[in-house]
Structures are given as C-alpha cells and as structure tokens.
Amino acid sequence: MSSSPYRSLGKNTAIFAIGTFGSKAISFFMLPVFTRVLTQADYGKIDIITTSISLLLPLLTLNIVEAVFRFTLDKGSLEEKQAIFTSALTVGTAGFLCLLCFIPVFIHFGVSGQLLVAFLALFLIDIIHGITKVLIRAEQRLRLFAVSDIIHTAVFASTGIVLVAVLKMGVIGYLSSQIIAVTISTAVLFLFGSVGKYIAPSAFKVAQIKVMIKYSLPLVPNALAWWIMSASDRYMLAFFLGFSSTGIYAVAHKFPMLLSVLNGVFYQAWQISSIDQFNSPDRKQFYSNVFRALSTLMFLGTIAFSLALRPFVILMTGEGFQEAWRFVPFLILGTVFHSFSQFFGVGYLAAKKTGGAFRTSGIGAAANIGTNLLLIPLIGIQAASISTAMAFFIMWIARLIETRKYFSISINWVRLSIEISLVIVSLIMVYFGSIGTLIQIVCLIAFITLEGRSIEAVLKK
C-alpha cells in the first residue's frame, strides 16, 4: 500500500502538534499561578461558567460547526463555501439571540452585572471563533490554524497574569483574559485567512441551511451526551459538595489534558485522513494500522506519566489543590477510552450517518449520570472520576460494535486486553507509594517488551 495516507496523516498531525502542544503547554503551566491566587470556590465558579458555555454552544447553534467542517471538505467553488460560511454565521447569530432571551433566568440565579456581560461576550466570540477556525481547518490551512492556537494561549497567559495575579480581578479577570485571547485569535484567522471573502449575504440560502442542519442536528444530542460524560460531574459535585469540590476536580482534570492534547492533535488530523480514505480499497488496513498506532502511543504515554503523577501534581498546584492527585488516575483512564471513542466516531462523520453518534454517546451518558448519582454521596469527588472512565469505556465498546456497518478494522484482542490491564495496574499503583512505583516500572518494561516492534514501526511510519 502506498505510504501517502500515512505521510498525509503524519504531516497534518505534526502541524497541529506545533500549535496545540505549544499553546496547551503555556496554558498548563499557568496552573501554578491560578491555583495560588484563586480560591477553590473561585476556580469552581470559573469551571461552572466555562462548562455551561461548552453545553450551550452546540445546543443553541445546533452544532453547526460540524456541518461547516464536513461540507467545506466536499465543496470546491468559492460560491459554495460562501453559502456554507454565511449560513453557519446566520445560525450562530440566531443561537446568540436565543441566549439573550434567558437573561432573566441568569439574573435569577445570581449571574448578573459584570459576570453576565463577560458570559455573553465570551459566548458570542466563541461562536464566531469556532465557525472560523473549523473553516480554516477544513480548507487544510493548518499552519495558520496552529499559529492561531499559539497566539490564543500566549495572549490568555499574559493577560491572565496581569488581570488575575497582579490586579487580583478574580473570576472577572480570568473571563476577561479568555475574551481578549479568543478575540485576537479570531482576528488573526480573519486577517491572514482572508475569511472576509466567505461572508456574502447574497450567498445566503435557506436550502443550504436546511441541508447543514439535517447533518448537524443529530450531533446536538451527541454533543449533549459528550458534555454529560465530560462536564456534568461539576454540577453534581457543586450540588452535593459545594463549589470547593468542583474547583479541586477542575484542577484534577487539567492533568489528563497532557494526554488528551496528544489525542486532540491526532484527532484533528484523523478527521481529514479518515474521510479522504473512506472510499479507498485499502481502508481496512489503513484504519487498522492507525488504531494500533493510536492505542500504542496512548498506553505508553499513560504508563510513563503514571510514574511521576503524584509528585508532579503536588509540584504544579497551590496548597489548597494538592489533593487533586487522588482523582487524576481514573480521569487519565477515561482520557484513553475517550480517544478510542473519538477514533471510531469519525466513522459516522465520514459516512454522513450522524444519528448513530447519539445512540452510542447516550449509552455512555446514562452510565455517567447513574454512577454519579449513586456514588458521589458515598465517596465524594472520586465518584466523578470513576464515572468518567466507565462512561467512555462503555461508549467506546458501543461504537466499536455499531460502526462495523460503516467500516471494520483488525484488532488483536488478546494483546489489547493485556495492554489495558497493564495500564490499569500502573494507574492504581499511584496510590501505593514506593512499592507501587516498582510495579509501575515493571508494567512499563512489560509494555515496551510487548510493543517494541510496534513502537518502532509507528516511528518509522
């Protein structure tokens, strides 16, 4: 088989990595600053606000960004892309106007004044930024995409230090930093991506909106289910245990980000390559090889990170947040299964059969909610991390089974089961001190012995 699909996937992954790793690294290393300035309750409030925006965006905009990406990949003429982009902005604007209707509700729950203005401003600029960014990615202008990520996080870090750490503006300072960063990143995309040419009121077509919504609408409940698995824990923790517990859990969530960034970089490139190769006669071999590479790297990264997890978390957090290390192992396991779920979920996008995405996500969301309601009152914050891992594992299995109607891949289940066992043992050993560290080293050696040739092959590819 030609190596060009691998070259394309590798090249795109590398470009995304340049922007994403650089930007996320800056964001991550801001954690010691914020956790030493903000209280647990402040961090919890920030997390609830940003989590709420992540819920409302796909709901009120009908997840139109997904349609922009998929349809732009298929379209060639400027007029067709103008119709797509203009239609998406129209839907996004309508979503923002719907949000304004709920202002009395926000005020009733105490979100008013500067906090309300910051919430609305961040929501609006996130709509424009999301649509613009996904257009640039679909156009495969990946260097600009990566640069905008770096600029976004660099601006957020610098303004965050000034507004939060120096001026002590707290929650408002943090949100203001986000607004400034997203606005500048969007301006860079517009300026250097010549995005203005895609805005054409004359290109507005009701028929185009209908086609796009028909594609994206089934992904709305899917996005809701993803939100439940990834973020609803915060609301339940706030309800049962208060904002302080939410703040600690939010900090714990930052550390699996080191692995989720690895997967996120790959996933953005994988969306493009999987769709490009969907009708290829070599699709099964290509998909199988890529999944083997993904699982190998995720497992290797997880076991290696588990060795330094506890001291690293303590080093990177302020005194009030250091117990967050206890909740990281299960969140990391959830990140691994999350990456597998996303891999198989691309099948729905490539086949344009997005309804199945909701069914499998709904199964995972139900497992997440049930586990949280049952265990949070009994074991507290740890229940949220356990439910996240369980939900993503269940969803991965469900997607693996259902997507066989769209594509199939070859998996050595004996080998994969052994590797998953090594990962779980290594993560559990985080709780057992020096003896646990010795067992983790054994797990790492065993994994490298088992997958040495595969790791070498991945690097060569």
Side-chain angles (χ1 to χ4, degrees):
M1 185 175 81
S2 170
S3 63
S4 57
Y6 299 101
R7 283 204 188 100
S8 178
L9 178 60
K11 177 184 175 182
N12 291 345
T13 302
I15 294 173
F16 284 125
I18 292 171
T20 304
F21 277 121
S23 63
K24 296 298 183 183
I26 297 172
S27 178
F28 181 78
F29 286 106
M30 287 295 294
L31 192 61
V33 176
F34 291 139
T35 56
R36 285 168 171 80
V37 176
L38 298 169
T39 65
Q40 293 176 352
D42 282 343
Y43 213 99
K45 291 176 183 178
I46 289 169
D47 195 58
I48 290 294
I49 290 171
T50 54
T51 299
S52 299
I53 290 176
S54 71
L55 165 65
L56 293 172
L57 271 173
L59 291 181
L60 296 182
T61 65
L62 306 181
N63 214 14
I64 200 69
V65 294
E66 295 290 348
V68 173
F69 177 76
R70 186 64 184 91
F71 283 83
T72 302
L73 280 177
D74 287 343
K75 303 302 181 182
S77 70
L78 176 61
E79 291 76 14
E80 290 172 322
K81 292 175 183 178
Q82 285 175 333
I84 293 168
F85 190 69
T86 303
S87 298
L89 287 179
T90 302
V91 174
T93 302
F96 178 71
L97 294 177
C98 288
L99 181 67
L100 296 181
C101 297
F102 291 93
I103 287 179
V105 178
F106 297 141
I107 295 175
H108 175 75
F109 284 100
V111 181
S112 58
Q114 290 182 325
L115 192 60
L116 178 60
V117 172
F119 176 82
L120 294 175
L122 186 55
F123 186 89
L124 177 60
I125 192 61
D126 273 347
I127 291 175
I128 301 171
H129 182 254
I131 295 173
T132 304
K133 194 174 180 182
V134 82
L135 172 73
I136 295 297
R137 182 157 65 95
E139 289 271 73
Q140 300 194 37
R141 303 183 66 178
L142 304 185
R143 289 180 178 85
L144 176 59
F145 183 93
V147 169
S148 73
D149 266 353
I150 295 174
I151 292 174
H152 170 269
T153 312
V155 173
F156 170 66
S158 57
T159 55
I161 290 174
V162 173
L163 298 181
V164 179
V166 178
L167 299 180
K168 308 294 184 184
M169 292 176 62
V171 175
I172 293 297
Y174 186 98
L175 296 177
S176 298
S177 299
Q178 287 279 30
I179 293 168
I180 295 170
V182 177
T183 301
I184 292 177
S185 176
T186 305
V188 168
L189 292 173
F190 261 84
L191 180 61
F192 295 98
S194 301
V195 175
K197 68 182 180 183
Y198 297 108
I199 302 176
S202 60
F204 174 81
K205 298 178 182 178
V206 175
Q208 180 68 52
I209 292 181
K210 288 181 177 179
V211 171
M212 292 173 67
I213 290 178
K214 182 179 179 181
Y215 174 85
S216 67
L217 194 58
L219 293 173
V220 173
N222 176 60
L224 175 60
W226 276 97
W227 178 89
I228 290 172
M229 287 181 285
S230 301
S232 66
D233 307 339
R234 275 85 154 176
Y235 291 88
M236 294 191 190
L237 288 173
F239 176 78
F240 286 111
L241 305 175
F243 281 118
S244 294
S245 65
T246 308
I248 295 172
Y249 185 69
V251 169
H253 247 286
K254 296 292 184 181
F255 292 90
M257 184 182 73
L258 297 172
L259 278 177
S260 64
V261 166
L262 174 66
N263 172 62
V265 166
F266 161 79
Y267 178 69
Q268 293 176 94
W270 173 238
Q271 278 188 309
I272 296 172
S273 293
S274 63
I275 293 172
D276 284 344
Q277 295 297 310
F278 189 71
N279 295 315
S280 168
D282 297 317
R283 180 183 66 193
K284 181 176 182 178
Q285 183 180 352
F286 177 63
Y287 279 30
S288 301
N289 290 342
V290 173
F291 179 73
R292 176 75 179 275
L294 171 66
S295 61
T296 298
L297 293 178
M298 290 298 292
F299 289 151
L300 180 61
T302 299
I303 296 175
F305 181 54
S306 68
L307 281 164
L309 190 155
R310 182 174 178 177
F312 184 61
V313 174
I314 293 174
L315 174 67
M316 292 297 296
T317 55
E319 186 175 349
F321 295 88
Q322 291 184 352
E323 66 173 305
W325 73 266
R326 300 178 182 276
F327 317 116
V328 176
F330 287 102
L331 291 175
I332 290 179
L333 187 61
T335 298
V336 173
F337 294 131
H338 174 208
S339 70
F340 294 172
S341 299
Q342 283 190 314
F343 178 91
F344 284 91
V346 165
Y348 300 118
L349 303 181
K352 293 186 178 179
K353 303 292 184 181
T354 50
F358 168 61
R359 288 191 293 272
T360 51
S361 298
I363 294 171
N368 181 272
I369 292 175
T371 305
N372 277 324
L373 290 175
L374 180 65
L375 295 183
I376 286 180
L378 299 176
I379 61 175
I381 300 175
Q382 193 67 271
S385 57
I386 292 173
S387 69
T388 298
M390 183 181 299
F392 282 123
F393 174 76
I394 292 173
M395 187 174 70
W396 167 48
I397 297 300
R399 287 191 168 185
L400 188 151
I401 294 171
E402 187 175 86
T403 55
R404 287 175 179 170
K405 67 181 73 171
Y406 309 126
F407 67 88
S408 62
I409 69 173
S410 300
I411 297 176
N412 185 328
W413 283 104
V414 173
R415 181 186 294 268
L416 188 65
S417 299
I418 293 173
E419 292 170 352
I420 291 175
S421 299
L422 290 173
V423 168
I424 292 174
V425 169
S426 185
L427 289 171
I428 291 176
M429 287 301 105
V430 171
Y431 301 100
F432 290 90
S434 57
I435 294 177
T437 302
L438 292 175
I439 297 175
Q440 288 174 318
I441 294 173
V442 172
C443 289
L444 180 60
I445 294 172
F447 182 82
I448 293 175
T449 302
L450 185 65
E451 284 290 355
R453 291 184 179 179
S454 179
I455 294 171
E456 183 182 356
V458 169
L459 296 176
K460 286 183 177 179
K461 285 290 186 183

